[in-house]
Amino acid sequence: MKNTPLTSATPRYWFTPLAVLLILILLGSLLFGPVLWHPGHYLFGSSEDGYKNYYTALWYVQHDVGVWFTGMNYPFGEHVVYTDNQPLFSLVLRSLQQAGLPLDVVTVFNSAMLLAQLLSALPLLALLRRLPLPDWYAATVTVCMVLLAPQLERLLGHYALSYSCAVPLLWYLLVRADETGNRLWYALYGANMLLFGGLHPYYIIIGALLLLVYSAVAWWQRPAGSGLFWRFWWPVLTSALLPMVIFQGVLRLTDPYAADRTGLPYGFFAYSSSFWSVFFPVEVPTRIWWQTIFHTPDPSWEGLAYVGLVGTTLAVLTLARVFGRVRRKQWQRLRRPALPPMLRVSLWAGTLILLFSMGWPFRWGLEGLLNYLGPIRQFRSIGRFAWIFYYFYSVYLAYALYQAYRWLRWHRPGKRAGFVLALGLLLWFAEGMLNAGHKGQLIQQLPCSAGRQMPAPRPAPDHFQNRLAQAGRQPSDFQAIIPLPYFLMGSEVISLPESGHRVAHSLYQGMRASLETALPLATHQLSRTALYQAQELAQLLSHPAIDKALLRRLPDRRPLLLLVDPKTTLDSAETSILARARVFYRDSAVWLAELPLSQLEARPALQAAFQKQRPTLHRFPTYWASEATPLVWHNSFDKPRKDPDFQPDIPPLLGPGAQPIRRAPELFFNQNIPQAGWYEASVWVYLRTEKLPALHWSLSNPAGTVLDSSAIETKFSTNVLGDWVRVTAHIHVTQPGQHVRIWTQGRRYVVDEFELRPAGVAVWRQTPDSSQLIYNNYLLTPTLPMATPLAARH
């Protein structure tokens, strides 16, 4: 009987895709349970990003229009691109609501994320069929690839990055474009880059990198004289660059704060992939067993692209074969391995992209080249590019495994071939089930899932509207919410708090309160926030001696609403701001307090207090003190050391000079302390430098043994004055004569005004011309200007 080839017109052609989709739906119902059928009843993530990504979309759909988001970063607001609210979806949902067709945001988001995992099977199956592979086998490995996909991890928080269908679809369109040379496929590729970029900008750069590297390898492998250079490259470059130009152009035209967003985000090397995150197990309990035996390090979460143990085995065998080719100098076989054309290009391209996702070659002392990478430098989590390698390599794995089966069946007749194939597929499937099943289990077990509280679907006693009503208040009495513990994430410079777990509850309750009361949050958990805005918001928690620039921007004098988590210990700055507010509601979950704006500043009162207390203060040559103690050390850096390699044009905070430091540690204090007690050390650091230093101190006994030490990161400080921030250390000298060392460590930064004093002593100083008054190393001056353009950095 003659075999008829399957085509799209053949009824049997559609049976396999439908069967794969049905199998995945059945497996999804097994692994995700009720989440699959009632996605709107669950919150997929309980992390800070998980809550925030629901909140920003919910607020936008309820309150905002166009490209502007007003729920956080009050009173500035933020561009939707930097809110992770999947702008394309949010814009559509907002338009439908205005048209009288309101859809539940959580339901739409969760359904779209689950549907994306399902739809990723279709382009993968189509690619496998092109190798060609038997339909039953292509269907089986497609299911395995979908279940083990690295983007399933993003279901737990980074929702916009969870669309597993993006890379396979782009790859399929690229293969069709490369095979046919039809420019329509390139146009479809560019359109899909923009479409997915409307959900998250990373998809645009992922699509561009995939297209450029794949095309470069395809050109390199082409026979000499096989085509004109520009005929090949102009559709490639157009499809890669045009979506980026359109996206960046629209963003620049609609973003008034672009000049003050960081151009050097943290994480290019920290958030990269590694051999451990790609070839070694990453899911418990397999990872625990593996690490117990081989003692491998923990993989980087941002670089997860695990290909499975079967894939790891194939990688070892492939490397052995490559080394054999190198030893025999078979360069042409390395350039064009004996694989189908699609795989021959993809394997090389995937390997190059994997190396880039690991930070190569920049880890070889070439970090300076990053300044010339343009938009790629903005995408700090380069480990995400390893997702491309996952799909390329997994298809190569499927092909190689089947070829091994055919070779064994031909050369080793019997059951051995079938056993090897079945064992490989079974292990691949088992790891996929473990990966997907763990995500489904976590979502079902999240504390906020079953009753979905963002916000709750119906009024409840713990709604913030009801809490305010019980206290005789209403939302319109306030202009914004300040959650305590306080969080301030996004500027890449000021970052509060040190631990995300500390603010998880206040972040969640703050976002709930914001949605239920329609009050914005005077803080942010966003991306690339303008630095001057982060500076002004951080000032809300600064010492009362510092004037708050933000108060001049507020539309009226209504108080701020403090929302306090009573179960979390507040730090000194948070305790101070709560002490200046009046608590009017308490329950086991939250406290509510009213903070008048007048309580945020005390500079005039401190100046008046000095004039009143001056006759009773103890006078020393350079300062006044509330106690008769000479134990006050101060350095104003009026005559700084000059470094010809680092001379930033930065005005000092006070006096004629400030100290620029290029690399070496700057030692401020290094001597014995004659009296025991608590001491406060502080120094002012200029914020707008490339890398901020840390303030270090150590306490030693007379024998030189270090008794205590600590390092205080500048980015965790809130005492911001203009473009300077006061970094503070508290040191407990337990016995007289102990030795204290205080220094800063970093690169290319500027410091000014160092002071060490007993913590319980108030110290006052004046500048030589008596024009400025300094209280405990706080300059009592009206708000200093902030340099809004980021280009002012040195």
Side-chain angles (χ1 to χ4, degrees):
M1 182 176 177
K2 187 177 180 180
N3 290 328
T4 304
L6 293 178
T7 66
S8 57
T10 307
R12 279 200 304 139
Y13 181 88
W14 299 104
F15 174 79
T16 303
L18 293 175
V20 169
L21 295 179
L22 180 60
I23 291 170
L24 287 171
I25 291 172
L26 293 175
L27 291 175
S29 64
L30 173 66
L31 300 174
F32 285 79
V35 178
L36 193 66
W37 310 114
H38 306 285
H41 293 179
Y42 293 83
L43 298 182
F44 281 10
S46 62
S47 65
E48 294 79 17
D49 281 338
Y51 290 142
K52 179 260 292 185
N53 293 343
Y54 284 123
Y55 164 78
T56 52
L58 284 162
W59 175 281
Y60 178 88
V61 171
Q62 293 175 17
H63 303 288
D64 292 329
V65 294
V67 298
W68 212 247
F69 169 79
T70 61
M72 278 189 187
N73 207 37
Y74 180 81
F76 306 101
E78 185 55 284
H79 197 288
V80 290
V81 166
Y82 300 101
T83 67
D84 286 326
N85 75 345
Q86 302 185 49
L88 184 60
F89 270 157
S90 295
L91 286 166
V92 171
L93 291 174
R94 174 62 174 166
S95 299
L96 290 175
Q97 185 181 71
Q98 292 177 320
L101 297 171
L103 296 177
D104 181 67
V105 172
V106 176
T107 301
V108 171
F109 273 27
N110 292 352
S111 300
M113 287 187 283
L114 294 172
L115 182 62
Q117 316 312 314
L118 185 66
L119 294 181
S120 66
L122 299 179
L124 288 173
L125 179 62
L127 288 163
L128 289 164
R129 278 175 154 179
R130 303 184 75 80
L131 289 178
L133 294 170
D135 263 23
W136 69 268
Y137 179 76
T140 304
V141 295
T142 296
V143 171
C144 294
M145 282 190 278
V146 172
L147 293 175
L148 197 58
Q151 285 170 268
L152 280 171
E153 188 74 31
R154 305 301 167 143
L155 289 174
L156 305 178
H158 292 176
Y159 309 131
L161 293 171
S162 69
Y163 294 94
S164 296
C165 59
V167 173
L169 178 58
L170 291 173
W171 184 20
Y172 174 76
L173 295 173
L174 177 55
V175 168
R176 295 304 305 272
D178 185 57
E179 289 177 349
T180 65
N182 191 329
R183 294 165 190 171
L184 177 60
W185 290 107
Y186 285 109
L188 288 173
Y189 188 98
N192 275 275
M193 275 178 60
L194 268 180
L195 179 69
F196 285 109
L199 302 177
H200 200 288
Y202 261 98
Y203 290 119
I204 291 182
I205 201 69
I206 286 174
L209 189 67
L210 192 163
L211 175 56
L212 293 173
V213 177
Y214 187 98
S215 299
V217 173
W219 176 262
W220 174 59
Q221 292 188 351
R222 287 161 66 99
S226 59
L228 294 177
F229 181 86
W230 284 113
R231 182 176 296 175
F232 177 87
W233 277 105
W234 86 258
V236 171
L237 295 176
T238 302
S239 300
L241 300 179
L242 186 59
M244 288 196 290
V245 170
I246 293 173
F247 182 85
Q248 288 289 339
V250 171
L251 188 59
R252 289 291 176 141
L253 290 173
T254 57
D255 179 15
Y257 306 142
D260 205 34
R261 301 192 191 278
T262 181
L264 299 170
Y266 169 79
F268 190 87
F269 294 111
Y271 300 147
S272 59
S273 64
S274 65
F275 290 109
W276 327 114
S277 64
V278 175
F279 294 107
F280 295 165
V282 298
E283 196 66 74
V284 292
T286 314
R287 174 167 58 88
I288 305 300
W289 300 338
W290 183 276
Q291 290 178 323
T292 302
I293 299 171
F294 297 102
H295 306 288
T296 54
D298 286 332
S300 168
W301 182 77
E302 281 288 4
L304 295 183
Y306 178 51
V307 296
L309 288 175
V310 181
T312 302
T313 304
L314 177 64
V316 174
L317 297 175
T318 301
L319 283 175
R321 192 165 188 176
V322 167
F323 289 143
R325 302 280 190 211
V326 171
R327 189 171 59 252
R328 292 189 292 272
K329 299 182 180 181
Q330 297 176 333
W331 310 118
Q332 191 62 22
R333 295 293 298 274
L334 285 175
R335 179 189 175 195
R336 295 172 59 87
L339 293 170
M342 180 188 82
L343 274 187
R344 192 168 59 228
V345 175
S346 299
L347 189 59
W348 262 107
T351 302
L352 293 174
I353 292 171
L354 176 65
L355 293 175
F356 175 76
S357 76
M358 294 178 176
W360 294 4
F362 308 102
R363 292 187 183 276
W364 302 338
L366 302 176
E367 185 177 352
L369 292 178
L370 294 176
N371 297 326
Y372 305 99
L373 285 184
I376 291 181
R377 182 64 180 88
Q378 283 288 316
F379 293 83
R380 59 181 180 180
S381 299
I382 57 173
R384 297 170 184 174
F385 296 124
W387 299 342
I388 300 173
F389 175 80
Y390 168 82
Y391 291 106
F392 283 13
Y393 185 80
S394 295
V395 172
Y396 164 67
L397 169 61
Y399 178 81
L401 184 61
Y402 188 74
Q403 295 306 310
Y405 160 74
R406 292 183 61 191
W407 187 91
L408 286 172
R409 193 174 66 170
W410 179 262
H411 292 88
R412 302 287 189 272
K415 298 180 180 179
R416 184 176 301 177
F419 173 78
V420 170
L421 183 63
L423 180 64
L425 291 177
L426 184 61
L427 183 56
W428 196 350
F429 178 74
E431 288 197 282
M433 290 289 285
L434 181 65
N435 178 61
H438 187 222
K439 310 305 181 292
Q441 184 182 35
L442 287 175
I443 292 171
Q444 293 177 71
Q445 293 177 350
L446 288 176
C448 293
S449 287
R452 202 196 92 194
Q453 297 282 319
M454 178 90 46
R458 58 183 180 277
D462 66 343
H463 272 209
F464 287 90
Q465 290 271 18
N466 294 330
R467 286 171 168 143
L468 289 171
Q470 290 177 41
R473 305 298 182 92
Q474 54 187 354
S476 59
D477 295 338
F478 307 93
Q479 59 177 305
I481 296 171
I482 296 180
L484 298 179
Y486 195 65
F487 55 90
L488 200 67
M489 299 288 290
S491 70
E492 303 287 335
V493 177
I494 296 175
S495 180
L496 303 173
E498 296 183 48
S499 169
H501 297 293
R502 183 174 170 271
V503 300
H505 186 262
S506 70
L507 182 144
Y508 168 70
Q509 292 289 5
M511 291 178 180
R512 270 196 65 196
S514 176
L515 291 171
E516 293 172 10
T517 62
L519 290 173
L521 293 166
T523 183
H524 53 244
Q525 172 87 9
L526 300 168
S527 303
R528 310 293 196 277
T529 311
L531 179 52
Y532 84 92
Q533 297 169 5
Q535 292 172 238
E536 293 190 12
L537 285 167
Q539 279 186 334
L540 290 175
L541 266 69
S542 65
H543 193 279
I546 296 176
D547 279 7
K548 313 301 187 274
L550 190 76
L551 300 186
R552 284 63 170 170
R553 300 184 186 275
L554 299 181
D556 54 58
R557 298 295 295 178
R558 283 179 298 164
L560 298 169
L561 175 64
L562 295 189
L563 188 149
V564 186
D565 174 14
K567 298 178 182 178
T568 302
T569 302
L570 303 181
D571 64 22
S572 58
E574 294 160 348
T575 301
S576 174
I577 196 172
L578 179 58
R580 286 173 270 153
R582 188 176 74 82
V583 178
F584 61 83
Y585 177 89
R586 287 183 174 90
D587 63 27
S588 60
V590 295
W591 293 359
L592 302 178
E594 176 186 292
L595 177 66
L597 301 185
S598 59
Q599 292 297 314
L600 288 171
E601 296 180 338
R603 178 180 56 85
L606 287 169
Q607 290 172 323
F610 170 71
Q611 298 300 330
K612 182 178 181 180
Q613 298 171 14
R614 185 170 180 173
T616 63
L617 295 173
H618 298 272
R619 185 72 170 95
F620 293 89
T622 58
Y623 64 90
W624 293 264
S626 60
E627 296 182 14
T629 173
L631 301 179
V632 176
W633 295 266
H634 172 251
N635 188 349
S636 62
F637 305 103
D638 288 342
K639 296 181 179 180
R641 298 185 313 277
K642 298 297 182 181
D643 188 331
D645 295 324
F646 183 49
Q647 300 184 46
D649 183 20
I650 294 173
L653 173 69
L654 186 64
Q659 182 61 59
I661 302 159
R662 182 165 58 96
R663 185 181 293 272
E666 178 69 14
L667 187 63
F668 302 127
F669 189 83
N670 186 27
Q671 65 186 67
N672 296 334
I673 301 290
Q675 292 182 8
W678 281 96
Y679 289 79
E680 181 183 275
S682 61
V683 67
W684 289 86
V685 178
Y686 190 72
L687 272 173
R688 292 176 176 269
T689 50
E690 183 176 331
K691 293 185 179 179
L692 295 176
L695 178 63
H696 295 254
W697 64 266
S698 67
L699 179 70
S700 307
N701 62 18
T705 303
V706 176
L707 305 173
D708 197 4
S709 64
S710 185
I712 298 91
E713 295 287 345
T714 300
K715 65 181 180 179
F716 299 138
S717 304
T718 59
N719 287 311
V720 178
L721 182 61
D723 288 325
W724 294 82
V725 61
R726 183 182 188 267
V727 189
T728 308
H730 293 92
I731 306 168
H732 188 199
V733 178
T734 55
Q735 293 182 0
Q738 290 178 334
H739 191 85
V740 172
R741 292 182 75 248
I742 305 172
W743 71 98
T744 49
Q745 182 74 52
R747 286 196 311 165
R748 304 177 71 84
Y749 62 95
V750 182
V751 297
D752 201 359
E753 301 300 318
F754 168 79
E755 182 180 272
L756 175 66
R757 63 179 178 82
V761 176
V763 174
W764 305 82
R765 287 185 286 112
Q766 280 186 322
T767 56
D769 61 0
S770 300
S771 63
Q772 301 283 0
L773 182 64
I774 300 98
Y775 167 72
N776 288 349
N777 210 22
Y778 290 101
L779 177 61
L780 299 184
T781 182
T783 301
L784 295 180
M786 298 179 184
T788 54
L790 209 63
R793 291 189 175 198
H794 296 269

